[in-house]
Amino acid sequence: MDLNFLQNTLRTALEQAHLKPTIRYHNIGFSSKDLCDLDDITQTLRGLLPGYTLWRQPGMQSAPESVISRKHFQDQILTANQAGI
């Protein structure tokens, strides 16, 4: 995978997602059958969003379990000490 192309594409996607300041929460999802591609995406996003928390897998590190109440999920988000998740 061309990492420069990936970085430019992800940067553009993030800029477009943040164009409307009235939207409080932004959700972007990525998927691939190739785990190497997903790793490239993850590493690129870490570089583009250094102040964000990365939840890689439910129940690990600061990530909540996959089955939780909405209230608990919101509490997990609000306790994150970084710019975003």
Side-chain angles (χ1 to χ4, degrees):
M1 175 180 288
D2 181 352
L3 296 180
N4 287 327
F5 176 76
L6 175 63
Q7 184 174 24
N8 290 332
T9 302
L10 289 177
R11 181 181 292 119
T12 301
L14 292 171
E15 288 170 356
Q16 289 175 352
H18 289 95
L19 283 178
K20 296 180 182 178
T22 56
I23 298 175
R24 186 172 180 181
Y25 298 106
H26 302 272
N27 300 300
I28 300 173
F30 300 96
S31 66
S32 174
K33 292 181 181 181
D34 187 339
L35 293 179
C36 291
D37 287 347
L38 285 177
D39 190 54
D40 288 345
I41 291 169
T42 300
Q43 296 308 318
T44 302
L45 286 172
R46 281 186 177 176
L48 292 172
L49 303 168
Y52 280 58
T53 299
L54 175 65
W55 287 350
R56 290 189 70 125
Q57 188 171 349
M60 295 193 69
Q61 296 171 334
S62 64
E65 295 294 332
S66 58
V67 180
I68 62 170
S69 69
R70 180 181 176 139
K71 169 89 171 88
H72 183 67
F73 181 72
Q74 290 172 335
D75 291 343
Q76 290 283 123
I77 291 172
L78 294 175
T79 59
N81 295 328
Q82 294 174 308
I85 298 176

